[in-house]
Amino acid sequence: MDMLPANKLKIHELTRHASFGDGKNNNKKSSSDQFVVVDLKATCWNRDDNKYGVSQEIIEFSSVLVDAATGHPMSSTFHEYVIPTEHHELSEFCKNYNGIKQEDVQRGNGAVTLSEALQLHEAWIQENNNGRGGGGGGGGGSGSGSGLDVNSSAAVVVVTWGNWDCRTMLKQECLRKDLRIP
C-alpha cells in the first residue's frame, strides 16, 4: 500500500473497511461514498486563568465533503462562526490558540447561535445530498458544488478526528442548551 499523508490516513482506514452499495458493480455512487468531515473549535482558557469546571462553547463550526475513494476534499465546504452565549468574551489564550477574533463571534459580523449553525449545517448537508449544489449552507455558510449523488436519500457519514468534536463537545453543549443532538 502506498503511504498516505497523515491527514488522509483515518479516512482511508474507514473506507478500506467500509462496504458501499448493494454489492453489485453497477458504478452507481451512493452518498456513503462521501464523508462530511466536521471540525469544531471552542472557547478555552490558559491553565492560569482559573477556569476549571467552566463549560466550553463551540465558536467555530466547519465541514468539508471528502470523496471516500480518494480521500480528497470535494468542492463543497461549510463554515460558521458561533456566538458564545454563556461566556461572551473570548480569552486571550483562546483567540491566540484558535486564531479567532472577538469580532468573529459577534452577531453583527455574521456569527450565528449554535442552534442556527446546526440548522444551517443540516440544510447544507440536505442541499448537497439532494444534488442541488451551488450554495453552501444558506445564511452565512460558504461553499459551492455538490458532489453527492442526486438520486440518493441515504444518510451521509460524519467523520471527525476523535470523540471530542461530536461525542463530547457538541453533545454536551446541546444537552446543556436543550438543543436536539444531530
Side-chain angles (χ1 to χ4, degrees), residues 63-179:
S63 293
V64 64
L65 289 173
V66 174
D67 184 300
T70 66
H72 293 134
M74 300 173 80
S75 60
S76 189
T77 61
F78 176 87
H79 180 267
E80 293 289 344
Y81 285 111
V82 180
I83 301 166
T85 58
E86 297 167 349
H87 310 287
H88 304 287
E89 294 295 318
L90 301 180
S91 70
E92 287 302 313
F93 176 80
C94 183
K95 290 186 265 187
N96 291 329
Y97 183 76
N98 287 317
I100 297 174
K101 300 178 213 137
Q102 185 66 45
E103 54 269 19
D104 292 335
V105 295
Q106 294 176 334
R107 173 72 74 187
N109 292 330
V112 297
T113 64
L114 178 58
S115 176
E116 292 167 326
L118 290 169
Q119 291 171 6
L120 290 169
H121 191 254
E122 189 170 320
W124 173 77
I125 289 173
Q126 285 291 352
E127 177 180 336
N128 285 284
N129 200 28
N130 291 334
R132 290 180 294 219
S142 61
S144 62
S146 79
L148 293 176
D149 182 6
V150 295
N151 298 314
S152 175
S153 61
V156 295
V157 176
V158 175
V159 178
T160 65
W161 277 109
N163 288 337
W164 184 86
D165 288 277
C166 293
R167 288 192 181 161
T168 301
M169 187 63 230
L170 183 60
K171 182 178 179 181
Q172 287 176 2
E173 190 169 352
C174 285
L175 289 171
R176 197 171 64 249
K177 294 181 176 181
D178 199 28
L179 300 173

Side-chain angles (χ1 to χ4, degrees), residues 15-82:
T15 58
R16 191 168 62 114
H17 298 294
S19 174
F20 301 115
D22 56 10
K24 298 176 184 169
N25 188 7
N26 57 10
N27 295 324
K28 185 176 179 184
K29 205 172 190 180
S30 73
S31 67
S32 56
D33 289 334
Q34 294 88 21
F35 298 121
V36 175
V37 180
V38 174
D39 183 41
L40 305 175
K41 293 183 180 173
T43 54
C44 54
W45 299 269
N46 188 317
R47 292 177 196 225
D48 299 333
D49 289 340
N50 281 331
K51 294 288 187 177
Y52 292 107
V54 175
S55 299
Q56 290 181 288
E57 292 180 271
I58 295 167
I59 54 174
E60 187 175 30
F61 192 133
S62 303
S63 293
V64 64
L65 289 173
V66 174
D67 184 300
T70 66
H72 293 134
M74 300 173 80
S75 60
S76 189
T77 61
F78 176 87
H79 180 267
E80 293 289 344
Y81 285 111
V82 180

